[in-house]
Amino acid sequence: NAGVMQNPRHLVRRRGQEARLRCSPMKGHSHVYWYRQLPEEGLKFMVYLQKENIIDESGMPKERFSAEFPKEGPSILRIQQVVRGDSAAYFCASSPAQSSYEQYFGPGTRLTVT
Amino acid sequence: DQQVKQNSPSLSVQEGRISILNCDYTNSMFDYFLWYKKYPAEGPTFLISISSIKDKNEDGRFTVFLNKSAKHLSLHIVPSQPGDSAVYFCAASFSGAGSYQLTFGKGTKLSVIP
């Protein structure tokens, strides 16, 4: 039973390029969360999605960042026109519908902006 | 403003002894607390949790204590094993709207010395 899968594991982008991070939740999980971990910091909540719905994006920067969880396929976190400050580890978590406390995390995508 | 604080960035403990990791929180609305363990290049994995209606929860070698009046919780690992060496994150959540948002501390790196 595969856990939460994220790809790519490492992503290098030049300033101004776009970054696309993908997350496949655990089988049977319909809730997806994205967190960002800056160097020497804890994980910070960004966005919570269910299939085809953004439930809460209060932790996501207003510009350049967007997220989706389509009916088919993985959840995507998209960062347009990346800047050096976007360099971080981005973690996706998923949970079963019944309990949002039980969040299972993927291995993360480490984004480096050069 | 950091709502969940882990004031010790690192901790070293001899194998077989007790490890005590501490966590303080400022938001009195938090009523559910979790500990996650993280190895390098992996995502956080859930370890143990406690609801605010309890003051202790035990699972094998791991025990979490909650002192609501002091807004303090601690994770005890006994006996400590070299495989416990990892970064431990304290996280908090609350019931009701937004309960899915886990608020993390910055983590404590535990090193268990053989």
Side-chain angles (χ1 to χ4, degrees):
Chain A
N1 182 19
V4 178
M5 302 183 69
Q6 290 188 249
N7 66 81
R9 295 292 308 274
H10 300 275
L11 183 61
V12 179
R13 284 287 177 266
R14 291 202 178 106
R15 278 180 297 169
Q17 291 185 319
E18 178 180 289
R20 280 189 179 230
L21 289 64
R22 288 177 290 277
C23 168
S24 296
M26 283 182 72
K27 187 176 180 181
H29 287 191
S30 56
H31 298 232
V32 166
Y33 317 82
W34 286 92
Y35 290 82
R36 176 166 69 173
Q37 185 184 22
L38 295 170
E40 309 301 324
E41 297 287 327
L43 283 74
K44 296 272 195 307
F45 168 82
M46 297 181 74
V47 61
Y48 163 38
L49 310 103
Q50 294 179 21
K51 284 282 187 184
E52 298 184 282
N53 279 310
I54 297 174
I55 307 302
D56 181 354
E57 56 184 349
S58 60
M60 204 150 68
K62 295 286 187 285
E63 297 178 355
R64 302 187 297 106
F65 285 72
S66 62
E68 62 177 10
F69 190 14
K71 188 176 178 182
E72 301 289 339
S75 174
I76 307 283
L77 179 68
R78 183 180 175 207
I79 312 172
Q80 294 178 293
Q81 298 175 317
V82 296
V83 300
R84 288 230 171 95
D86 297 332
S87 295
Y90 291 82
F91 292 96
C92 167
S94 71
S95 70
Q98 293 80 12
S99 171
S100 296
Y101 293 137
E102 297 176 30
Q103 295 185 20
Y104 297 83
F105 284 82
T109 294
R110 184 162 299 277
L111 173 66
T112 302
V113 179
T114 61
Chain B
D1 179 35
Q2 234 188 319
Q3 298 187 67
V4 177
K5 298 178 184 178
Q6 293 178 257
N7 291 320
S8 298
S10 61
L11 175 68
S12 287
V13 171
Q14 287 287 131
E15 181 179 4
R17 307 293 280 266
I18 184 170
S19 295
I20 300 177
L21 295 94
N22 293 303
C23 178
D24 297 292
Y25 60 96
T26 57
N27 189 338
S28 56
M29 298 294 291
F30 288 141
D31 59 6
Y32 198 81
F33 305 90
L34 309 92
W35 284 93
Y36 281 82
K37 176 180 177 178
K38 185 182 181 303
Y39 293 117
E42 293 185 13
T45 54
F46 171 74
L47 198 57
I48 192 169
S49 63
I50 188 167
S51 163
S52 61
I53 62 172
K54 294 185 174 182
D55 53 20
K56 176 182 173 182
N57 189 25
E58 193 172 351
D59 184 0
R61 296 186 297 114
F62 303 91
T63 303
V64 55
F65 296 91
L66 175 62
N67 182 335
K68 281 176 291 189
S69 60
K71 294 193 179 69
H72 176 83
L73 62 155
S74 60
L75 174 68
H76 292 212
I77 307 172
V78 55
S80 301
Q81 299 173 354
D84 296 329
S85 297
V87 177
Y88 289 79
F89 290 99
C90 172
S93 185
F94 52 92
S95 307
S99 62
Y100 42 80
Q101 284 195 28
L102 298 180
T103 301
F104 284 84
K106 291 187 177 183
T108 296
K109 183 176 182 179
L110 174 65
S111 300
V112 180
I113 303 160

